[in-house]
Amino acid sequence: MGLRDYVFNNLGRKLVSLCLASLIWFNVWSVDRKEPRLLESPFGSLLSKQGAELVTGEFAQIPIAIVTLAQDTRAFRLDARQAKVILRGERGLLIRLTAKDIQVVVDLTDLANARKTDTNTNLIIRPVRARSPDGITVLRVEPSTVLVEPISLPEPTAKSTEKDE
């Protein structure tokens, strides 16, 4: 068999396999880039609108940051580490937006007024807030609340600097 026979043998199957592999690669690549997924009707482009077009986009897997007081030396464990944020804004702004432009925050600066899930546990319910650039509106954050568990870190022991003589 010559090289020509290897190339043209089952050519249809080879082309279909190449197309499927390309589609799978593109799907995985686009999910990994953490770009917004525009949530719009497939017929939206057929209906022309005058002026700025507002669209809805979704960012998944945005890390949740914790804001605490500087003197608070405790560590905290959250029941969710990432959030999904649904935004609304002009198409051009939303397409240029990256995951780094969105901040998802749990504010733990006022733990004295925090609501506990149970009096027997240290679990505290706190709201999750998202911040976005100007011109972009946050519609929803999932999860909207997280369970926070304060963890006391052990006190560091002082090392002896005296040498035995």
Side-chain angles (χ1 to χ4, degrees):
M1 258 191 182
L3 180 62
R4 180 182 169 112
D5 292 334
Y6 283 119
V7 172
F8 290 111
N9 188 24
N10 295 324
L11 183 63
R13 290 182 182 177
K14 291 176 184 176
L15 290 176
V16 168
S17 297
L18 181 65
C19 290
L20 286 175
S22 298
L23 287 173
I24 291 171
W25 176 82
F26 180 73
N27 191 19
V28 170
W29 178 76
S30 66
V31 168
D32 239 8
R33 288 184 58 202
K34 294 186 179 177
E35 288 187 351
R37 189 183 75 175
L38 297 182
L39 305 173
E40 58 186 358
S41 167
F43 302 109
S45 60
L46 298 175
L47 306 171
S48 67
K49 297 176 184 174
Q50 299 298 327
E53 180 184 359
L54 294 177
V55 294
T56 304
E58 173 184 301
F59 276 91
Q61 301 176 350
I62 304 292
I64 299 175
I66 299 173
V67 176
T68 62
L69 297 173
Q71 58 267 32
D72 195 352
T73 59
R74 295 176 293 180
F76 297 94
R77 182 180 300 135
L78 303 178
D79 68 337
R81 294 182 180 196
Q82 297 177 338
K84 179 170 76 169
V85 181
I86 298 177
L87 307 162
R88 185 167 184 82
E90 291 183 20
R91 176 185 290 278
L93 289 175
L94 216 57
I95 289 175
R96 286 192 301 270
L97 199 64
T98 64
K100 293 178 183 177
D101 298 328
I102 302 168
Q103 295 178 333
V104 178
V105 177
V106 174
D107 187 6
L108 301 178
T109 56
D110 186 23
L111 286 181
N113 298 331
R115 190 179 83 204
K116 289 192 172 188
T117 58
D118 189 5
T119 56
N120 298 330
T121 64
N122 284 339
L123 295 177
I124 302 165
I125 298 174
R126 297 301 291 175
V128 178
R129 304 281 183 230
R131 299 179 189 145
S132 64
D134 292 337
I136 304 292
T137 305
V138 176
L139 296 179
R140 188 171 62 232
V141 180
E142 295 174 6
S144 61
T145 60
V146 290
L147 290 175
V148 180
E149 179 183 7
I151 302 169
S152 298
L153 297 175
E155 293 289 327
T157 58
K159 293 183 179 180
S160 175
T161 57
E162 300 175 12
K163 294 183 180 178
D164 294 333
E165 295 181 23

